[in-house]
């Protein structure tokens, strides 16, 4: 992996969600105790289809696996699955997937004083000011992050 101007150059595999399958997962409507468990709350009240919950505009949605550590301060770690929605208008402080000079990156979009920046959420990396000569395009806004704990 090469680092150029604070961007990790790597291959990114974009994935389209498969919405033809339906998988209902049990949903407990009672909150989960972070302290002592409550045995009275251990029953299923409904089911949840993750496609319906996480994907609002299927034609505008794609997924990508996170790679690198530039966004760990925003809770995005390697192997997390990012759900990107192209129908969301990027705004100041949105986390976006962008292409900059031929490389994909995920960063926080910062707009200030008429300038645009891509800001990493890790002090090891520098903020990138988008200049007129840059080949720059925002592909979409990160709508959800699915954590990988293994």
């Amino acid at each position: 992996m090469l680092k150029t101007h604070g961007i990790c150059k790597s291959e990114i595999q974009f994935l389209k969600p498969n919405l033809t399958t339906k998988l209902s997962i049990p949903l407990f409507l009672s909150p989960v105790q972070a302290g002592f468990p409550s045995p009275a709350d251990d029953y299923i009240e409904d089911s949840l289809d993750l496609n319906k919950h996480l994907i609002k505009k299927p034609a505008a949605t794609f997924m990508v696996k996170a790679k690198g550590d530039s966004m760990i301060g925003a809770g995005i770690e390697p192997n997390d699955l990012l759900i990107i929605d192209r129908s969301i208008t990027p705004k100041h402080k949105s986390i976006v997937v962008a292409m900059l000079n031929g490389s994909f990156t995920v960063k926080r979009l910062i707009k200030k004083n008429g300038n645009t920046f891509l800001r990493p959420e890790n002090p090891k990396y520098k903020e990138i000011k988008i200049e007129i000569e840059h080949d720059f395009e925002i592909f979409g806004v990160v709508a959800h992050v699915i954590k990988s704990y293994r």
Side-chain angles (χ1 to χ4, degrees):
M1 187 166 25
L2 302 171
K3 290 185 181 175
T4 308
H5 304 292
I7 297 176
C8 294
K9 286 184 132 183
S10 62
E11 289 184 27
I12 292 184
Q13 181 183 9
F14 292 96
L15 308 166
K16 283 297 287 179
N18 180 353
L19 301 176
T20 61
T21 60
K22 295 209 182 264
L23 173 62
S24 292
I25 297 173
L27 173 65
F28 294 83
L29 294 181
S30 299
V32 175
Q33 295 292 328
F36 293 103
S38 173
D41 290 340
D42 62 353
Y43 57 93
I44 299 170
E45 295 189 25
D46 203 349
S47 64
L48 174 73
D49 181 346
L50 290 178
N51 285 329
K52 288 181 181 177
H53 184 71
L54 298 175
I55 300 171
K56 303 295 182 210
K57 307 259 178 150
T61 302
F62 63 94
M63 296 176 279
V64 65
K65 260 191 178 180
K67 190 173 184 179
D69 63 353
S70 71
M71 293 301 288
I72 58 173
I76 298 174
E77 298 173 336
N79 296 317
D80 287 350
L81 188 63
L82 308 180
I83 299 178
I84 313 302
D85 189 335
R86 294 192 72 169
S87 71
I88 298 173
T89 302
K91 59 184 182 183
H92 177 65
K93 294 192 176 181
S94 293
I95 296 177
V96 299
V97 170
M99 181 178 275
L100 180 61
N101 298 328
S103 295
F104 285 102
T105 189
V106 58
K107 299 284 184 280
R108 189 169 303 278
L109 180 68
I110 301 297
K111 295 185 175 201
K112 61 182 175 186
N113 302 325
N115 295 305
T116 300
F117 301 86
L118 293 177
R119 178 177 293 161
E121 296 285 337
N122 183 335
K124 291 186 346 185
Y125 301 94
K126 293 182 181 180
E127 184 174 79
I128 303 160
K129 182 178 181 184
I130 303 304
E131 303 287 355
I132 193 78
E133 65 270 9
H134 287 148
D135 181 17
F136 174 70
E137 180 182 355
I138 295 175
F139 268 55
V141 174
V142 176
H144 301 282
V145 177
I146 299 175
K147 301 298 294 174
S148 178
Y149 290 110
R150 49 183 175 126

